[in-house]
Amino acid sequence: MLPDWQKEINRILLLIGSAGVLGIVFGQVLLFIFVAVVVYLVFTIRQLRRLDKWLSALAAGDDMSPPEGYGLWGSLFDGIYRLQKRQKQIAGEMQSILDKAQESSAALEIAFVLIDKSGNLDWWNKAGETLLGLRYPDDRNQAATNFIRNPIFADYFQKEKYDQPLTMNSPVNSNVVLEFQLATFGERERLMVVRDISQIHKLEMMRKDFVGNVSHELRTPITVISGYLENLLENLDSIEPRWHKPLQQMAQQSRRMENIVRDLLMLTRLETKAVTRQLADVEVKGLLSEIANDTNHLFEDKQHKIEVICPAGLRLRADRSELYSAISNLAFNAAKYTAPKGHIVLKAQSKDNSFDISVTDNGVGIEAHHIPRLTERFYRVDASRTSSSGGTGLGLAIVKHILVRHNATLDISSIPGKGSTFTCRFPLTRLVPAPA
Ligand code: ADP
C-alpha cells in the first residue's frame, strides 16, 4: 500500500494532468492548469482553517472531535486526535499518582515542603500547614527564609550543607521543637522534611537533667567517703592488717567513682552550656608543653618520653580550659595505655584544609573494629584494663563534645601492639593570623 503522502502527490498529478488534457481539448492549457492549482490551494486552505479551529478549541479546553478530512488531511487529523487522546490518558495517570501522593502525605505527621530553585515555597502537604503554619495558596511563591524568619534557619538554608539536620523551635508555636532536614534535587530545587521532635527533645532534656542531678547529688557523699578512706589509709599502723587490702580497694574504687562523677558533670556542662563566644587566642606550643609537663607529673612512675612538636607563635581561637581538657585527656590516655618508658608525641601543624593537633603513642594500640565506638560513653576496649588504670570510659566522649563545640573533628588511627594517633582537626579559620 502506498503511503498517504504519495497518494496525495498522485492526486495532485492527476488533477494537473486532467486539467492539462482538458486544456489541450479547449486550446487553453495554461489557464486550465492555473485553475486546477487554485482549486487545490482553496481546498488546502479550507483544511488548514479547520485544523486551526480545532486546535484552538482544544487549547481552550473544549473537547471537540476532529474535523472531517479528506486524503492526507484526514490521516493528519486522525493522527493528531490519537496523540491528543494518549496525552490525555498520560495526564490522567499522572494526576492519579499525584493525588495518591498528596493523599498519603496528607495523612503523615511529617511536613514535606518543595522549594523551587529561587528559594520560594512551591508545594507542601497538610503537615506543612500544622507544623509551619503555611497557607495554600497564599504563601505559595514566598521566599522560604521570609516565611521562617529565624537567622539560624536562614544561615542553614543558604549554606546548602545539609548533611546534619537543624533543630529549632517552630515558627508558629515556640513550645514545639522541629527538626529540619533539607535535600537538593533537580535544578537546585530543594525538598524540606520537617518533624516534630518535641517529645524526643523533652526526653533528652530529662536525661541530661537526670544525669546532671544524680552526679551532683553523688559528689558530696563520695567525697566524704573518699576523705575518710584516705585518712584511714594514712593511719594503717593502727588498723588490723586484715583490713589493709579491703581499705585500699575501697579507696581505689571511691577514687574511680569520684572521677566518674567529675566526668559526668563535665559532660552535662558541655551538653547544656551554650558555646562560648568569648574565645581566647590560645598559644598552642605553651598549651602542649603544659600538658606534657602535667602528663609527666601524673604518670611519673611510667617514665615516658614526651615530646612536643609545634612551631612557636601558633595561636588558635578556642576556649582554653576546654582545649586543655580535650588534649590532656588524649595525652593522659596515651600515657595510660602505653607501657613504661614509652614515647608520646604532642604535635601541632597546619595542613591544607585543617589545623591538626595530634597525640601519638607507641602503646598497646586499638583493634580497628573498636575505633568507631570509642567516643561513646562508657565504651571500653577492655573493661578490666580500664578500671585498673582508673579510667571512667568517658574521656573520649568529653573530647568529642569539646571538639564539636569548636567545629573540629576527631580522627583515630591505630595499629594493635604498635600504637595510636588521635588527631583533632580544627578548621583553618580558627587559626589566628600571625602579626605582619
Ligand atoms: P577511659 O577512661 O576508659 O580511658 P576513654 O573514653 O578515654 O575512657 O577511652 C575509651 C577507651 O579507648 C579506653 O577504655 C581504651 O580502651 C581506649 N583508648 C583510648 N585511648 C587509647 C590509647 N591512646 N591507646 C590505646 N587505647 C586507648
Side-chain angles (χ1 to χ4, degrees), residues 387-426:
S387 48
S388 64
S389 64
T392 62
L394 294 168
L396 291 179
I398 292 177
V399 173
K400 193 181 155 197
H401 263 83
I402 293 175
L403 293 186
V404 168
R405 287 160 70 84
H406 287 80
N407 321 99
T409 53
L410 180 67
D411 202 65
I412 306 171
S413 63
S414 185
I415 302 174
K418 291 241 186 282
S420 321
T421 298
F422 288 73
T423 309
C424 311
R425 294 194 202 285
F426 295 86

Side-chain angles (χ1 to χ4, degrees), residues 333 336-337 361 366 374 379-381 386 391-393 395-396 422:
N333 273 350
K336 249 194 286 179
Y337 300 109
D361 63 57
I366 308 155
L374 284 187
Y379 187 82
R380 279 123 175 211
V381 172
T386 316
T392 62
L396 291 179
F422 288 73

Side-chain angles (χ1 to χ4, degrees), residues 180-215:
F180 292 77
Q181 179 83 64
L182 275 112
T184 354
F185 68 97
E187 278 183 60
R188 289 195 63 240
E189 283 142 297
R190 279 168 270 204
L191 169 67
M192 181 164 81
V193 182
V194 187
R195 286 196 308 146
D196 179 348
I197 54 156
S198 310
Q199 207 55 27
I200 302 169
H201 187 74
K202 208 166 133 194
L203 285 173
E204 183 67 4
M205 294 305 280
M206 277 165 67
R207 178 191 65 78
K208 286 179 193 166
D209 283 352
F210 176 76
V211 174
N213 291 338
V214 168
S215 318

Side-chain angles (χ1 to χ4, degrees), residues 252-293:
Q252 189 198 6
Q253 291 306 323
S254 69
R255 270 197 299 274
R256 251 195 88 212
M257 278 201 284
E258 264 185 313
N259 290 344
I260 292 177
V261 166
R262 182 205 58 212
D263 283 358
L264 280 176
L265 279 171
M266 170 88 176
L267 267 175
T268 307
R269 199 175 57 79
L270 288 172
E271 276 182 336
T272 47
K273 198 179 89 171
V275 176
T276 177
R277 298 204 180 276
Q278 285 172 343
L279 299 170
D281 292 352
V282 182
E283 208 274 305
V284 182
K285 192 167 188 185
L287 180 89
L288 295 188
S289 306
E290 186 183 329
I291 293 173
N293 278 338

